[in-house]
Amino acid sequence: MIAATGLRWVLTVLFVVPALFAVWRAVTPGGAGGGPGATGRAAHLLHAVMALAMVAMVWPWGMDLPARPQILLFTLGGVWFAGVALARPAPLSRARALSDVLPHVVMMGAMAWMAAAMASSSPEPGHGGSHGMADMPGMDMSGGSGTVTMTLTGTGPRLTAGLLAGVLLVLALRWLARGFDAARLDDTTGSRRRPAPAEPDAFELGCHGAMALGMAVTFVLLV
């Protein structure tokens, strides 16, 4: 949905780096920094899938991917993050646990909403109800400028996209600020600080920030 090749590559890098990092954390023994054991690895894999889905959305071939499986996956991903936070027997209260995972729930929900906004309202003949993102109602396929090939139409969808862009930008700035603080602390102490099992390190915070920033830009382009 992005026509500018340079912007495509910038966003691709913003999404591919977090995806590679998430996969590395998921498959490396002792690398599940997002949580204990299988739970942390599943969280990293969800982030990797989300980042790769965003890569697809900025390139023309991504418009051929089925939308409904993405809606289902990211909706369930958001529910999973919330459920794990509520079920985790950590010393944190449930309210604190939920507040910690809320940014990830928001990002999963934003992904589901974007896929839904791009989904056709009725199944295409011969596709068994599973269809790609082409021929989208509520979308202006001509785009508003030479930067994008499509934009949302209708006040409601555009306001929602703008609101999500603002929220994602706030999350990106928060994660990046925390990442810089963590990196500066490591430099000040002269040794790499080892975070607690559920505490992300500076690079992980930076990857979350890059992902949220790239998503914010994408939502802005839809308005």
Side-chain angles (χ1 to χ4, degrees), residues 86-139:
L86 289 174
R88 182 175 295 173
L92 297 176
S93 66
R94 287 187 174 183
R96 173 62 186 279
L98 278 175
S99 68
D100 287 346
V101 301
L102 182 60
H104 306 293
V105 174
V106 169
M107 292 179 74
M108 288 286 167
M111 290 293 300
W113 184 88
M114 181 182 286
M118 294 182 174
S120 174
S121 59
S122 60
E124 295 178 5
H127 284 73
S130 177
H131 49 274
M133 294 181 180
D135 192 21
M136 309 166 203
M139 302 288 290

Side-chain angles (χ1 to χ4, degrees), residues 28-42:
T28 302
T39 299
R41 298 183 190 281

Side-chain angles (χ1 to χ4, degrees), residues 58-215:
V58 303
W59 292 92
W61 53 265
M63 311 316 295
D64 296 327
L65 298 178
R68 288 179 179 172
Q70 297 181 63
I71 298 171
L72 179 61
L73 173 63
F74 295 122
T75 299
L76 292 177
V79 172
W80 181 85
F81 272 107
V84 168
L86 289 174
R88 182 175 295 173
L92 297 176
S93 66
R94 287 187 174 183
R96 173 62 186 279
L98 278 175
S99 68
D100 287 346
V101 301
L102 182 60
H104 306 293
V105 174
V106 169
M107 292 179 74
M108 288 286 167
M111 290 293 300
W113 184 88
M114 181 182 286
M118 294 182 174
S120 174
S121 59
S122 60
E124 295 178 5
H127 284 73
S130 177
H131 49 274
M133 294 181 180
D135 192 21
M136 309 166 203
M139 302 288 290
D140 178 10
M141 298 300 291
S142 63
S145 68
T147 303
V148 294
T149 58
M150 65 187 66
T151 55
L152 290 168
T153 59
T155 303
R158 295 182 71 179
L159 284 176
T160 302
L163 176 62
L164 287 172
V167 172
L168 289 165
L169 179 59
V170 170
L171 293 178
L173 295 176
R174 179 173 178 269
W175 268 319
L176 291 173
R178 290 176 59 196
F180 286 132
D181 286 343
R184 186 170 61 250
L185 180 60
D186 291 343
D187 291 339
T188 301
T189 58
S191 61
R192 182 172 179 79
R193 180 176 56 93
R194 184 176 182 81
E199 181 185 354
D201 58 21
F203 194 73
E204 182 173 348
L205 290 167
C207 284
H208 288 328
M211 178 71 191
L213 180 60
M215 289 179 66

